[in-house]
Amino acid sequence: MSAADLSPFNSPFAAGTAGPSVRAVKDPFHGDLLEVSMGPQHPSTHGVFRMVVTLDGEIIVKLKPVFGYLHRNHEKIAENTSYLGSMPYTDRLDYLCSMTTNWAYALAVEKLAGQAVPDRAQYLRIIMAELTRLVNHSCLVGFLFNDLGTSFTPLLYAFREREKILDLFESLTGSRMMCNYQRFGGCRVDPTPEWLAAASRLVDNFPRFLDEYETMLTGNEIMLARTQGVGVLDAAKAVNAGITGPCLRASGYNYDVRKVDGYGFYPRFDFRVPLGAHGDTYDRYMMRVLEMRESVKILQQAFRDLPAGPIMDPKSKLRGFRPKAGEAYGRTESPKGELGFFLVSDGSPNPYRYRVRPPTLINLTLLEDMCLGHTIADSVVILGSIDIVLGEVDR
Amino acid sequence: MLGSGIIKGLAVTAKNFVGSYHDPARMVTEQYPEERPKLPEAYRNFPFLVTENATDPMGTLRCVACQICEKECPPQCIYIEKSKDKKPDATGKPQLYPAVFAIDTSVCMSCQICVEVCPFDAIKMDQVFEVAATNRFTGLLLNREQLAKPNSYFHQIHPTDAHEVDTRLAAERKAAEEKAKAAAAAKAAAAAAKPATPAPATATPAAPKPAAQPPTPPTA
Amino acid sequence: MNSSGLSLLSAHLPVAAAADGLLERLPLTLRDTFVQWFPAPTQWLLHHLISIVGILAIFGLFFAFTTVAERKLLGRLQNRLGPNRAGVPKFSFLPFHLKHKLFGLTQPFADAVKALTKEDIVPAAADKLLHFLAPVLVVAFSLLTFAVLPFGRNLIPVELDAALLYFFAAGSATELTIFMAGWASRNKYSLLSAMRALAQVISYELPLLLSVIPVVLVAGTLSTQEIVVAQGFWTFGLLPHWFIFTPWGAAGFLLFLVAALAESNRSPFDLPEAESELIAGHLTEYSGFKYALFFMAEYFGLTALSGLGVTLFLGGWQAPCAFLQFIPSYLWFMGKLVGMIVFFIWVRGTLLRLRIDQLTRLSWQFLVPLALINLGNAAFWALTGAWSGPLQIVRWAVSAALIVVPFVLMGRSLTRGQAPRTYRYAT
């Protein structure tokens, strides 16, 4: 990748900054570099994340991501609690989308124990996962614009719609964000017909919000100037680094676990996977918007086809759950990327080894490559477009 | 043309400005202290202990101190000490009771797993969300007396769930009474006809064990 | 100049009585009656002191209510309610308590109390003197600009021949105080912000001035009062001859708006204070009342620039229609001022921030050339003032083309390669 590809920034300073290292300053008349520690308390680091940036004027010549401030020993705690006891902890991993995190964990445990899931529960899981995708992506596009410098307006519009979905979650599961909904072999609560009707109505109205949002911002000249060509990530590099989710697809690489693995009942649904071409911040933003539109389609199909029946496998039990010895890896397409749980069982009520593959941590690894040669203002935007949640990064 | 996107954006915000005055779908603010939020029935916050009647809360706790919730609680915020003696419960049957039952709500993460695993429907989720305290040791550590709330309160906050629990418990009690009656009758018969073949204990109708029933999820 | 301005005034006013109406003269009458109580040698001093106190009181209150209006308007734009809690405090000496919340309009006073009672923190490494001086000077400089704004037909604090020059001289000094604050705070974010403020003042002072020069060219004067008087005509008594209703004036007004946004550090040009990037920029190390002073200066600057825009392009204190002149001129001025500020708030609620290189590029590659073209356009307008009949239509068409064509072409080159994209899907 040439420096010109990396940086659309029409500045002589941008040339030659394509390598992940501090640019050697040989010019004796050149000023000193400035090292700024952005974070862990900073309005735009989306939690307690820290970027140590070395600046030449305003241009980033080196960026060191520092994380771990929110480390809560998630994996070790899970190895010391029962399988069921870890379920509420997975809510707190990616606290914006507990439903999908629950599902990924339930999927891994079901694989481990060889449990079946009833049809209705499979549909409910897809409904919850796609509603969560709407929640997460509307959050993301809101926060991204806050990083871009709006006075909260897009964020609050996005949150207004997100709140309506969270209300649904609350009336179903009892909690807005920490849903704790999935169980091994099914779901915890069966939605009433009224709930399904309200959710269906909300989903049908969601494209109107998206249209309004896009009218407001997608064509905005400042938005285009700030995001197009900023933070370019080429597909080869993204694949090598293990980037997944919308960030990878924005680079033009077709990889969606929903299609690749076909877990749950996703093969029964008709949906498309949007792909970007440039891999810049704008593409990453648009991937989210387009995925929301596809999620609406999935949801409409799910509400149409939702079968009646039990929501729990009758063989599953809450207490005294001891899967036979073995190992399993369950992965789902969480809104942020491929979220996987690797479990090793030794036959005891607790997992012997419990490991999370957090998409956002891995997506974060290429932050420096995306930011080099851009300004400090772009770094927060690029970070915003990666969509990190520190609960999941630091675990 | 340069500026058209900006003008579109201004139009959208203007639309939202006007909409905030007449469109409830846009203006979603609830003015909290004056306007109480309408909590959905499924809303959960911290657990409480169900008592059969409000007049004697400590005497009619459904909890028999089996300590299952204490074991299953993921953050281990429940502390129970079993009683040394037995006291009659609401049905008059002598049962163990919790001498100490404490929940540290500063640790509790409202996951509802204690409710799901409880075989006696003794612990349920409360809906009180104004739980601010000035001291996290005395204010947030709730003991047995603070946790005990009557069944009528449970009916008030989770009507569907409470109704279901009550019908199930009533059925169980009826079955248990019948079983006891049958056992007594069998005993009497056995005593009356001593030389005859002893009646096998299995002949009595088996009442459903409460623990064997999977906890029914509360419906939304 | 004063006398000639007044003579101009009396010569062109269709309703001469309006100039001497009771309401129109009310502020002057009040001042004069007050001044008369004092001995003659001190009267000139009192005369000016009253002007100063009047500006401080009116625009101080105006600032207070602008903050609450901004928060409420932004709230409504964002589908929120905005501040609506602050009401009347309970005074212990009163037997009753008025519990009405007054729609939160007393919020600024609560904020002021909060700012005053907050601890004033000065970083240990800061340049103490400059750190202290910066908020003081920023308010001082931003208040200076009010001296030459004609608030009404007879209301102008200082009648200067070179009022516009004075305005820009005083106004641009505020950016230097931002640099001062950023430098003195000894904070890396503040330093970056200071650099941005300097880049911004260098880039935007020029388009701001160039957007104003056409008005000077056409009106033939630098005096703000005379510029307003020059706009005091109506076609059929209904269509005002404000400069914004000419092609060069409309273009100049748009350029002025953009440059004024940048000068007053408002969104989308709030780079020195970029919250998402630099925490609070130059304000990072300020707390309590010093912070409030910066905040105040920002709004004073905004109000002054809006006032200038009103004066130069929107007819100042002139009524929009001849028959509406019975409403006092200062009310018209304030109304237009409020309109401008509401527009600025609306823009702030919608737009996102530019990057520093884009900010400077927008100025040098777009605004400055356009402003220069607009200057030529105004010259053409001034030269063709005698054209009439069908030639008048030609004059309008040529003038409009002179500004629209460069705008479209240069806008296209500015946004080259940037457009919404279409995406492919994998099924």
Side-chain angles (χ1 to χ4, degrees):
Chain A
M1 187 157 98
S2 73
D5 287 344
L6 181 85
S7 167
F9 186 85
N10 303 329
S11 157
F13 295 112
T17 51
S21 61
V22 179
R23 182 160 59 87
V25 182
K26 295 230 173 69
D27 183 1
F29 298 108
H30 198 285
D32 288 342
L33 299 179
L34 179 73
E35 195 179 80
V36 181
S37 168
M38 292 176 79
Q41 274 79 38
H42 186 279
S44 290
T45 51
H46 298 249
V48 279
F49 175 62
R50 180 167 163 230
M51 297 188 280
V52 182
V53 287
T54 309
L55 298 174
D56 176 11
E58 286 232 358
I59 295 160
I60 295 169
V61 292
K62 190 183 176 190
L63 186 148
K64 197 175 92 185
V66 185
F67 32 73
Y69 291 98
L70 200 62
H71 181 56
R72 291 150 305 166
N73 224 345
H74 175 79
E75 288 165 355
K76 212 66 198 168
I77 287 176
E79 283 165 19
N80 290 305
T81 23
S82 64
Y83 284 89
L84 176 66
S86 300
M87 185 59 87
Y89 282 119
T90 60
D91 288 339
R92 275 88 178 160
L93 262 188
D94 180 354
Y95 42 77
L96 292 177
C97 12
S98 62
M99 292 280 197
T100 47
T101 330
N102 281 175
W103 190 4
Y105 178 57
L107 201 69
V109 176
E110 280 154 13
K111 253 188 188 174
L112 191 65
Q115 270 182 320
V117 180
D119 282 8
R120 186 173 170 88
Q122 290 282 26
Y123 270 88
L124 286 177
R125 283 180 173 188
I126 284 178
I127 289 173
M128 299 310 158
E130 295 304 321
L131 281 175
T132 306
R133 207 177 301 279
L134 295 183
V135 166
N136 180 71
H137 286 357
S138 53
C139 252
L140 171 103
V141 293
F143 279 125
L144 180 64
F145 282 106
N146 234 28
D147 293 344
L148 279 164
T150 53
S151 313
F152 282 91
T153 313
L155 177 72
L156 284 164
Y157 292 169
F159 264 46
R160 183 189 68 208
E161 300 306 312
R162 168 182 176 262
E163 281 297 302
K164 292 175 188 166
I165 301 176
L166 291 190
D167 281 344
L168 281 178
F169 284 170
E170 188 182 26
S171 67
L172 181 67
T173 69
S175 183
R176 306 172 76 77
M177 292 167 81
M178 306 294 131
C179 296
N180 187 16
Y181 182 65
Q182 316 288 1
R183 287 287 175 266
F184 316 129
C187 306
R188 183 160 63 82
V189 198
D190 197 7
T192 57
E194 296 83 52
W195 188 92
L196 286 170
S200 177
R201 213 164 34 241
L202 187 143
V203 167
D204 290 341
N205 282 330
F206 203 79
R208 271 174 48 201
F209 155 69
L210 280 180
D211 290 342
E212 189 181 287
Y213 201 85
E214 284 215 78
T215 317
M216 178 178 171
L217 292 161
T218 305
N220 188 301
E221 283 83 358
I222 303 176
M223 148 82 182
L224 297 177
R226 282 298 304 275
T227 54
Q228 292 200 340
V230 170
V232 176
L233 180 66
D234 66 328
K237 205 183 235 178
V239 171
N240 283 340
I243 307 281
T244 47
C247 287
L248 176 64
R249 293 194 286 275
S251 300
Y253 192 85
N254 178 19
Y255 177 81
D256 187 327
V257 183
R258 289 178 291 176
K259 292 282 187 193
V260 174
D261 261 16
Y263 64 93
F265 274 1
Y266 273 116
R268 295 190 183 186
F269 287 84
D270 174 34
F271 67 100
R272 304 174 299 168
V273 179
L275 293 177
H278 300 78
D280 54 8
T281 305
Y282 183 80
D283 273 5
R284 285 194 282 275
Y285 157 72
M286 280 307 288
M287 285 308 107
R288 268 69 182 226
V289 175
L290 297 176
E291 274 185 22
M292 278 195 267
R293 294 190 187 275
E294 293 302 314
S295 286
V296 168
K297 274 190 212 163
I298 297 176
L299 281 165
Q300 282 167 339
Q301 293 170 42
F303 286 126
R304 192 189 62 208
D305 300 338
L306 180 68
I311 55 159
M312 277 292 275
D313 180 18
K315 286 204 285 291
S316 68
K317 50 181 181 177
L318 272 173
R319 290 174 49 214
F321 180 75
R322 288 164 181 265
K324 59 187 182 301
E327 56 180 59
Y329 179 64
R331 56 178 188 172
T332 57
E333 180 72 21
S334 99
K336 296 182 167 69
E338 178 186 325
L339 174 68
F341 281 84
F342 177 66
L343 298 170
V344 180
S345 164
D346 57 356
S348 66
N350 305 348
Y352 174 73
R353 180 78 181 97
Y354 173 106
R355 157 86 191 148
V356 187
R357 184 216 184 271
T360 53
L361 171 68
I362 294 162
N363 291 356
L364 199 54
T365 49
L366 282 190
L367 182 64
E368 182 176 23
D369 299 63
M370 290 191 241
C371 286
L372 283 186
H374 293 298
T375 60
I376 189 168
D378 289 330
S379 71
V380 296
V381 176
I382 293 167
L383 180 69
S385 74
I386 297 173
D387 190 9
I388 60 165
V389 156
L390 268 295
E392 195 176 80
V393 172
D394 295 342
R395 278 163 293 143
Chain B
M1 200 174 77
L2 179 71
S4 56
I6 290 170
I7 291 168
K8 271 187 210 158
L10 286 171
V12 170
T13 42
K15 202 167 96 187
N16 274 284
F17 176 77
V18 177
S20 75
Y21 281 99
H22 66 82
D23 189 355
R26 288 194 198 279
M27 180 55 96
V28 288
T29 310
E30 279 172 11
Q31 303 212 48
Y32 159 59
E34 291 92 24
E35 260 178 80
R36 304 298 300 182
K38 270 186 78 179
L39 295 174
E41 201 187 315
Y43 175 77
R44 59 184 145 96
N45 202 335
F46 292 123
F48 72 96
L49 293 174
V50 186
T51 65
E52 288 297 342
N53 64 58
T55 48
D56 177 22
M58 286 307 112
T60 54
L61 278 178
R62 278 186 196 164
C63 178
V64 298
C66 67
Q67 292 180 312
I68 288 173
C69 53
E70 190 186 19
K71 276 194 210 85
E72 292 287 336
C73 175
Q76 301 179 355
C77 68
I78 304 178
Y79 177 76
I80 302 172
E81 268 178 30
K82 267 185 194 169
S83 61
K84 298 276 188 292
D85 57 331
K86 286 190 178 186
K87 272 206 288 198
D89 67 353
T91 53
K93 196 173 153 200
Q95 292 276 23
L96 289 173
Y97 61 94
V100 176
F101 195 112
I103 293 180
D104 189 349
T105 51
S106 64
V107 175
C108 175
M109 58 180 181
S110 313
C111 64
Q112 210 179 353
I113 281 183
C114 53
V115 177
E116 284 171 58
V117 297
C118 181
F120 303 100
D121 291 300
I123 188 164
K124 293 287 169 195
M125 294 309 273
D126 206 344
Q127 291 197 336
V128 176
F129 56 89
E130 287 156 324
V131 287
T134 50
N135 182 323
R136 72 188 169 120
F137 298 108
T138 54
L140 295 178
L141 182 71
L142 304 183
N143 58 27
R144 200 175 59 151
E145 282 72 23
Q146 286 158 299
L147 286 168
K149 288 183 180 175
N151 196 18
S152 54
Y153 176 75
F154 181 38
H155 270 276
Q156 196 186 320
I157 58 174
H158 301 291
T160 325
D161 195 16
H163 181 69
E164 196 190 303
V165 167
D166 272 10
T167 42
R168 192 171 66 238
L169 283 181
E172 276 167 21
R173 273 171 201 159
K174 207 174 159 197
E177 265 168 39
E178 270 167 18
K179 184 185 166 188
K181 228 181 264 170
K187 216 174 182 181
K194 210 162 190 182
T197 48
T202 46
T204 50
K209 271 190 199 165
Q213 267 199 350
T216 319
T219 43
Chain C
M1 193 51 89
N2 191 3
S3 58
S4 77
L6 281 178
S7 66
L8 240 165
L9 200 99
S10 49
H12 293 286
L13 268 182
V15 191
D20 304 319
L22 180 70
L23 275 174
E24 186 67 60
R25 291 205 60 86
L26 185 68
L28 297 181
T29 325
L30 282 177
R31 183 187 65 189
D32 291 344
T33 30
F34 184 72
V35 167
Q36 271 166 18
W37 296 344
F38 293 89
T42 61
Q43 277 185 1
W44 67 272
L45 186 66
L46 271 172
H47 189 94
H48 286 294
L49 273 179
I50 286 171
S51 299
I52 291 169
V53 168
I55 287 178
L56 280 178
I58 290 173
F59 285 96
L61 274 178
F62 191 79
F63 151 72
F65 287 105
T66 311
T67 57
V68 73
E70 166 145 32
R71 291 169 64 182
K72 275 182 163 298
L73 260 171
L74 270 184
R76 285 288 174 176
L77 284 175
Q78 298 164 353
N79 296 332
R80 295 184 289 116
L81 288 167
N84 63 351
R85 297 274 147 175
V88 190
K90 168 123 177 59
F91 295 110
S92 52
F93 58 88
L94 286 179
F96 57 89
H97 181 202
L98 188 63
K99 277 188 182 148
H100 197 276
K101 284 182 182 154
L102 301 177
F103 314 105
L105 284 177
T106 49
Q107 185 72 39
F109 305 107
D111 289 344
V113 170
K114 187 197 79 173
L116 276 169
T117 51
K118 258 182 145 175
E119 186 187 354
D120 175 34
I121 300 165
V122 182
D127 187 330
K128 305 271 185 317
L129 180 69
L130 287 185
H131 189 268
F132 168 74
L133 270 184
V136 178
L137 286 181
V138 74
V139 174
F141 283 131
S142 55
L143 276 173
L144 282 181
T145 47
F146 283 100
V148 291
L149 290 180
F151 303 114
R153 180 166 283 130
N154 311 308
L155 287 177
I156 178 161
V158 182
E159 284 249 18
L160 276 183
D161 290 348
L164 270 180
L165 285 182
Y166 167 83
F167 186 95
F168 288 115
S172 57
T174 53
E175 295 280 337
L176 291 175
T177 56
I178 288 178
F179 180 77
M180 205 191 246
W183 179 261
S185 294
R186 203 64 69 88
N187 175 312
K188 286 172 180 173
Y189 293 112
S190 304
L191 185 68
L192 281 169
S193 149
M195 295 303 175
R196 284 181 176 190
L198 273 196
Q200 199 162 324
V201 71
I202 291 168
S203 303
Y204 278 84
E205 204 59 35
L206 196 58
L208 188 70
L209 273 169
L210 283 176
S211 68
V212 164
I213 288 179
V215 176
V216 179
L217 185 84
V218 171
T221 172
L222 278 167
S223 157
T224 44
Q225 186 70 302
E226 284 175 37
I227 288 171
V228 177
V229 170
Q231 302 177 65
F233 309 96
W234 295 269
T235 305
F236 316 121
L238 284 174
L239 300 172
H241 284 201
W242 300 350
F243 288 142
I244 192 181
F245 297 119
T246 57
W248 63 268
F253 182 63
L254 281 178
L255 291 170
F256 179 85
L257 271 184
V258 175
L261 279 173
E263 273 293 296
S264 52
N265 291 330
R266 295 278 301 181
S267 177
F269 304 104
D270 53 347
L271 279 116
E273 207 196 312
E275 186 214 307
S276 61
E277 299 145 23
L278 303 181
I279 322 278
H282 60 283
L283 303 173
T284 310
E285 297 290 1
Y286 280 95
S287 63
F289 202 66
K290 284 181 185 165
Y291 179 89
L293 282 180
F294 273 107
F295 200 58
M296 193 189 272
E298 187 182 309
Y299 279 89
F300 280 151
L302 178 74
T303 314
L305 273 169
S306 306
L308 188 72
V310 167
T311 306
L312 296 182
F313 296 101
L314 299 178
W317 41 258
Q318 304 279 8
C321 307
F323 66 86
L324 284 174
Q325 285 189 83
F326 66 90
I327 297 172
S329 58
Y330 45 86
L331 288 185
W332 282 119
F333 181 88
M334 287 314 263
K336 289 173 188 174
L337 191 64
V338 168
M340 285 277 283
I341 282 173
V342 166
F343 178 75
F344 280 137
I345 293 169
W346 183 16
V347 166
R348 181 181 167 196
T350 309
L351 292 187
L352 34 143
R353 190 181 303 124
L354 281 165
R355 209 165 54 204
I356 185 73
D357 61 311
Q358 292 163 345
L359 176 100
T360 43
R361 202 180 311 145
L362 176 73
S363 169
W364 294 108
Q365 294 187 0
F366 188 72
L367 296 179
V368 170
L370 260 186
L372 285 171
I373 291 169
N374 197 37
L375 186 59
N377 192 4
F380 165 77
W381 189 266
L383 285 174
T384 55
W387 290 7
S388 58
L391 276 178
Q392 188 76 1
I393 297 166
V394 173
R395 183 191 184 208
W396 276 80
V398 169
S399 186
L402 265 177
I403 197 65
V404 171
V405 173
F407 175 82
V408 171
L409 291 179
M410 287 168 61
R412 208 170 281 169
S413 81
L414 192 74
T415 56
R416 190 180 300 129
Q418 286 161 354
R421 298 171 184 158
T422 49
Y423 288 89
R424 68 200 166 92
Y425 289 89
T427 44

